[in-house]
Amino acid sequence: MRIDAIILRELHMPLVRPFETSFGVTRNRRIILAEVQSEGLSGWGECTAGERPFFSGESTDSAWQVLVQELAPMLASESPESGGDCPGIFRAVRGNPMAKAALENAIWDLEAQREGVSLSRLLGGVRDTIACGVSIGIQSSIEELLSVIEHELAAGYQRIKLKCKPGWDVEVFERVRSRWPGILLSCDANSAYRLRDEDHLVSFDAFDLLMIEQPLWHDDFYFHSVLQRRLNTPICLDESIRNRRDTLAAIEMGSCKIINVKLGRVGGFSEAIAVHNAAMERGIPVWCGGMLESGIGRAHNIALSTLEGFTLPGDVSASARYFADDVIEPAVTVSEQGEIEIPDTPGRGYEVRTDLIERLTARKETIREMALVA
Ligand code: OSB
Ligand code: MG
């Protein structure tokens, strides 16, 4: 496909409520969207970098720089046939997976539109609904948390994930479990613990958690394998898993029993499918993580979640939990059974609200192939 133009926009989108993790609080998202125009069609992708480099080394500003200076010019001078060509096109740039994913995923969206199939179908998805869970941030009190959980369970969500950190863990789990003994409950530490906390982490086994997500260092496999040998609760790796090789290493070492797949963290749909396949072949369940995405990234997460190995409820939930006004139409909604229905129209399956996007845009850059001067 010929690339006519790549339009990068940074949108400012306030969250409906602050989201607190062990690494900080997010109130206002600064989201980069990539629009790739080709032969009359627009493909859209989202960069899931955070405002500050606290989840990974990427941030909105670092990704913007790499997209404008390096990745968009590289893509604009190529004619990819499919999203699967993008990792090769971007190979010279090390790291920066979230920036790369914004462009690669836009090409997958374009490809699905050109083929007249849904993105889910193009990826090889096998489901027409997906199971949804919620990730609940650290709250100002346990009472407050209990009321948030009550609200999410009433809405139908199938799994509750609690953000945790030292000082916001066992007491919280005790109160939640005594109120709801049977729900699917998990926790996510975002690397808040160290090996000296091993006995403390082993005490989490009392709460019948579905998993403990990324308890130790963001880049570690070995010490997670040591911890996993002492824990009955499955460890799920998020931050550590950057690609298929990491997936193989983690499984072989016994660092985890479950994997969280995030499109941005692994650099786009190609690598996400490779991670999924490697895990599924080895009997390791995966689920789709979230990064407080706008509707574009959310639509992509929904399509990814339809692959066969996504057997656990993901952190993919309704648009309204994040934003008063989402950039897609219809907004993502979740049924009383806690499911999202997969759209079957060509491409991402949700219309892009370009007027709203223009209003939310704080900076914008258009990249075209450099005209050859005779
Ligand atoms: O670790 O899964 C995480 C949000 C921002 C950064 C990291 C994470 C998260 C979430 C929220 O848990 C998932 C979501 O609801 O989008
Ligand atoms: Mg996580």
Side-chain angles (χ1 to χ4, degrees):
M1 57 184 89
R2 187 186 70 226
I3 306 292
D4 296 318
I6 298 172
I7 304 166
L8 298 168
R9 295 178 179 85
E10 179 184 321
L11 275 58
H12 289 189
M13 298 180 71
L15 290 172
V16 292
R17 64 186 83 88
F19 188 77
E20 181 169 350
T21 68
S22 64
F23 59 76
V25 186
T26 305
R27 291 187 173 79
N28 293 296
R29 296 288 347 267
R30 292 173 54 206
I31 294 174
I32 301 171
L33 294 182
E35 176 185 2
V36 180
Q37 297 180 339
S38 168
E39 300 165 29
L41 297 172
S42 276
W44 289 80
E46 174 162 345
C47 173
T48 62
E51 294 66 40
R52 302 179 72 187
F54 294 170
F55 173 81
S56 73
E58 290 182 276
S59 66
T60 307
D61 288 314
S62 75
W64 181 266
Q65 191 271 331
V66 169
L67 278 161
V68 171
Q69 298 292 326
E70 307 287 353
L71 300 172
M74 283 175 175
L75 181 62
S77 67
E78 298 277 344
S79 297
E81 276 314 304
S82 72
D85 293 340
C86 287
I89 293 171
F90 300 143
R91 192 167 43 212
V93 174
R94 295 212 174 139
N96 296 284
M98 293 171 177
K100 290 173 179 170
L103 292 175
E104 176 179 326
N105 295 349
I107 301 295
W108 282 90
D109 178 17
L110 268 173
E111 187 183 344
Q113 292 177 55
R114 286 167 62 106
E115 306 264 318
V117 298
S118 68
L119 189 50
S120 159
R121 178 69 65 82
L122 180 68
L123 299 171
V126 296
R127 305 169 197 287
D128 38 52
T129 61
I130 60 164
C132 306
V134 285
S135 173
I136 302 180
I138 294 165
Q139 306 293 313
S140 52
S141 68
I142 296 182
E143 303 309 322
E144 183 62 37
L145 175 67
L146 297 178
S147 90
V148 174
I149 296 173
E150 187 166 36
H151 180 262
E152 303 295 13
L153 290 172
Y157 287 103
Q158 299 184 23
R159 184 227 60 201
I160 300 290
K161 165 172 135 183
L162 305 177
K163 290 295 193 178
C164 66
K165 64 176 182 182
W168 184 263
D169 51 23
V170 287
E171 197 190 335
V172 172
F173 305 149
E174 255 158 27
R175 294 282 302 278
V176 173
R177 264 302 178 225
S178 68
R179 176 122 172 232
W180 294 285
I183 59 169
L184 288 184
L185 184 67
S186 70
C187 70
D188 185 358
N190 290 111
S191 308
Y193 300 93
R194 295 296 173 255
L195 272 188
R196 62 171 174 270
D197 303 314
E198 212 176 335
D199 291 341
H200 181 63
L201 289 166
V202 168
S203 77
F204 290 17
D205 276 345
F207 304 105
D208 190 27
L209 301 176
L210 191 58
M211 68 192 90
I212 302 179
E213 194 176 332
Q214 200 75 33
L216 304 175
W217 296 269
H218 72 96
D219 55 357
D220 172 75
F221 297 112
Y222 175 71
F223 292 106
H224 279 97
S225 78
V226 173
L227 177 63
Q228 181 68 89
R229 271 179 255 133
R230 284 203 60 204
L231 282 177
N232 290 326
T233 308
I235 291 177
C236 171
L237 289 180
D238 173 357
E239 283 88 330
S240 298
I241 304 288
R242 300 160 302 173
N243 50 42
R244 172 184 152 87
R245 283 182 301 104
D246 285 346
T247 305
L248 299 177
I251 295 171
E252 211 154 288
M253 273 194 261
S255 312
C256 65
K257 295 180 179 168
I258 298 174
I259 289 176
N260 168 335
V261 184
K262 285 182 178 165
L263 280 166
R265 198 193 66 226
V266 304
F269 279 117
S270 305
E271 198 65 30
I273 293 168
V275 168
H276 160 271
N277 292 348
M280 195 169 74
E281 284 159 15
R282 287 158 185 81
I284 296 290
V286 304
W287 53 279
C288 184
M291 293 290 287
L292 314 176
E293 287 93 344
S294 81
I296 302 292
R298 197 163 299 283
H300 291 176
N301 289 343
I302 290 168
L304 180 68
S305 303
T306 63
L307 298 188
E308 195 181 343
F310 285 79
T311 54
L312 293 168
D315 280 346
V316 183
S317 54
S319 297
R321 295 189 62 249
Y322 305 85
F323 305 109
D325 225 2
D326 203 350
V327 299
I328 53 167
E329 211 162 48
V332 174
T333 54
V334 169
S335 74
E336 283 168 31
Q337 289 71 42
E339 294 178 331
I340 293 173
E341 269 185 57
I342 307 306
D344 59 6
T345 51
R348 78 193 87 77
Y350 300 84
E351 294 300 325
V352 174
R353 298 176 63 188
T354 46
D355 293 354
L356 176 62
I357 287 177
E358 282 301 326
R359 285 205 297 279
L360 298 172
T361 295
R363 57 174 158 170
K364 180 171 172 178
E365 193 85 47
T366 301
I367 292 97
R368 289 191 176 79
E369 186 180 11
M370 296 270 269
L372 289 175
V373 181

